[in-house]
Amino acid sequence: MKLTVIGTGYVGLVTGACFAEMGNNVVCVDSDTSKIEALRKGVMPIYEPGLEDIVVNNMKERRLGFATSLADPSTEAAVYFIAVGTPPGEDGSADLRHVLDVARELGKRINDYAVIVDKSTVPVGTAERVEATVREALRARGAEVPFDVVSNPEFLKEGAAVEDFMRPDRIIIGTNSERAQELMRELYSAFMRTHERVLFMGVRDAEMTKYAANAMLATKISFMNEIANLCDRLGVDVESVRRGIGSDARIGYGFIYPGCGYGGSCFPKDVDALIHTAKQATFETKVLHAVQATNAAQKRVLFAKIIRRFGGSLNGRAFGVWGLAFKPGTDDMREAPSVVLMEDLIAAGARVKAYDPVAMATARRQLPASWFNDGLLELVEHPYDALVDVDAMILVTEWKPFRNPDFGRMKRLMKTPVIFDGRNQYEPDALQAAGFEYVGIGRTNPLGAAATGTSSR
């Protein structure tokens, strides 16, 4: 099938490359000329495991191409995927300018029946606005071309986006058109060799499903972080609690790992957008407001623990930070807890040494130049370089190489053997036995003793 994907960010590039991998002819369009030139040379604009190989291989097979404009004849297609950014506005609403700009351009270009797919995460009612925009552009040129607008939200995890696309647990398609439904079923048939994964529903239902899914996951994270903070005050080990409730099939283990808050381009933005949508419908989303507030506070929990340990002023102290990306498997630092932590540390007078396996270039681009120029932040080439003469190590992102480090070497390098574990990755009793002072999230009671001091083992 001939496909065109507009936008080459996480969603657009993964969508285009994976459809090409399944035998379709795909052109990805982006107005950023430098990005397109780089992609044609096989240089990826993002870090995503497995993506580069798929892009390069499908370019070689001539199933995947790139263009800078829909005016390029190569972009004519049966299905157009809109996968441009929807950044949050000041009021938390999703900015749909880029989506509607693409719709307007498609209205100027299409000559035969086409399916226009909203792949970007967009508020309920966006498909209707896209349809109206396309029709307006068609009327302006005096053309009558049949088309359908479909909602097909993505459910890709950064760091596992290729795997998620190639082996989806569900494919949500919102359409009221039988013609569009059959075309989309045919397109996704290659992904359903073992069992049916497509769920058809109304367009507005599909739009809401995407927001509800991300809001639910964000809610689970914030709930567990709140439980962890309570555990800190009650002398309870949240790891035992996590295993206890996760074993309940109604709850499960997914997204109940306490930590220093969630970040990225999806959860914060989508929770904000859903709150804004509810406000427009004169409905107060009390739970989502609490999720939002809890996460904002959680990003400062590690700093609060550091202040309690070292005092209000951190002048003259140095801290080693392991992990800058908002999660493992990506170089994305949008809304990352590491940024909030470093802001607080530097404001309190501390110096920071930081390391991340893949997000170093992102950090150099996005973090304040003054931090580097004034010697407040040093990005080091090796994780152990971040520990030389520091007062404590702070784990922020749970990358696999950080799971089983050389603790003996760490202790020799550090000025003070203190570890603040923002992801509860380490076993407190083992670190304490090795001579470290350990501070986790809700792990004040690692041996399982009750608040009264009696043992539960």
Side-chain angles (χ1 to χ4, degrees), residues 8-215:
T8 57
Y10 275 100
V11 177
L13 189 55
V14 170
T15 297
C18 289
F19 273 132
E21 180 74 2
M22 300 304 274
N24 298 285
N25 293 312
V26 183
V27 176
C28 291
V29 182
D30 200 298
S31 59
D32 187 334
T33 303
S34 60
K35 182 189 285 190
I36 293 299
E37 288 177 353
L39 281 166
R40 286 170 175 163
K41 297 175 183 176
V43 179
M44 300 300 103
I46 55 173
Y47 175 81
E48 187 62 42
L51 181 60
E52 182 177 344
D53 288 344
I54 292 180
V55 170
V56 171
N57 290 340
N58 280 282
M59 279 197 297
K60 289 180 180 177
E61 296 296 326
R62 298 184 181 180
R63 289 192 298 265
L64 179 63
F66 297 96
T68 57
S69 170
L70 284 168
D72 189 316
S74 68
T75 64
E76 188 173 342
V79 183
Y80 295 89
F81 285 87
I82 301 178
V84 294
T86 54
E90 291 184 6
D91 59 357
S93 62
D95 186 344
L96 297 178
R97 284 179 298 172
H98 302 309
V99 171
L100 297 179
D101 285 346
V102 173
R104 195 170 294 111
E105 190 66 21
L106 287 172
K108 297 176 182 178
R109 303 289 175 189
I110 59 173
N111 295 306
D112 296 303
Y113 174 77
V115 171
I116 298 171
V117 182
D118 282 335
K119 199 70 175 170
S120 303
T121 300
V122 292
V124 174
T126 298
E128 295 163 10
R129 295 183 63 183
V130 168
E131 180 179 350
T133 302
V134 174
R135 290 199 186 285
E136 183 181 349
L138 285 170
R139 279 196 300 269
R141 56 186 267 226
E144 290 187 14
V145 180
F147 70 95
D148 285 305
V149 178
V150 168
S151 175
N152 175 215
E154 53 83 18
F155 296 94
L156 308 177
K157 298 185 296 291
E158 289 188 36
V162 172
E163 177 70 16
D164 286 347
F165 198 100
M166 299 301 285
R167 296 176 177 82
D169 49 12
R170 83 284 203 198
I171 299 164
I172 302 295
I173 298 175
T175 180
N176 300 315
S177 162
E178 290 186 9
R179 187 176 183 182
Q181 180 173 318
E182 288 308 308
L183 192 61
M184 294 300 289
R185 185 188 296 279
E186 179 187 349
L187 177 60
Y188 277 108
S189 62
F191 301 89
M192 298 183 290
R193 303 297 291 177
T194 55
H195 64 274
E196 179 73 30
R197 291 183 171 90
V198 172
L199 296 174
F200 287 104
M201 58 184 68
V203 176
R204 295 170 74 90
D205 304 341
E207 292 170 333
M208 186 63 175
T209 297
K210 168 61 177 180
Y211 276 112
N214 278 356

Side-chain angles (χ1 to χ4, degrees), residues 183-253:
L183 192 61
M184 294 300 289
R185 185 188 296 279
E186 179 187 349
L187 177 60
Y188 277 108
S189 62
F191 301 89
M192 298 183 290
R193 303 297 291 177
T194 55
H195 64 274
E196 179 73 30
R197 291 183 171 90
V198 172
L199 296 174
F200 287 104
M201 58 184 68
V203 176
R204 295 170 74 90
D205 304 341
E207 292 170 333
M208 186 63 175
T209 297
K210 168 61 177 180
Y211 276 112
N214 278 356
M216 172 60 79
L217 297 176
T219 299
K220 291 185 73 174
I221 294 170
S222 283
F223 172 81
M224 203 62 200
N225 282 335
E226 195 160 84
I227 292 296
N229 295 337
L230 180 58
C231 287
D232 262 339
R233 287 157 177 78
L234 297 178
V236 174
D237 183 8
V238 75
E239 176 62 11
S240 297
V241 177
R242 183 192 68 78
R243 287 186 279 110
I245 67 173
S247 61
D248 186 328
R250 297 170 301 174
I251 298 172
Y253 291 102

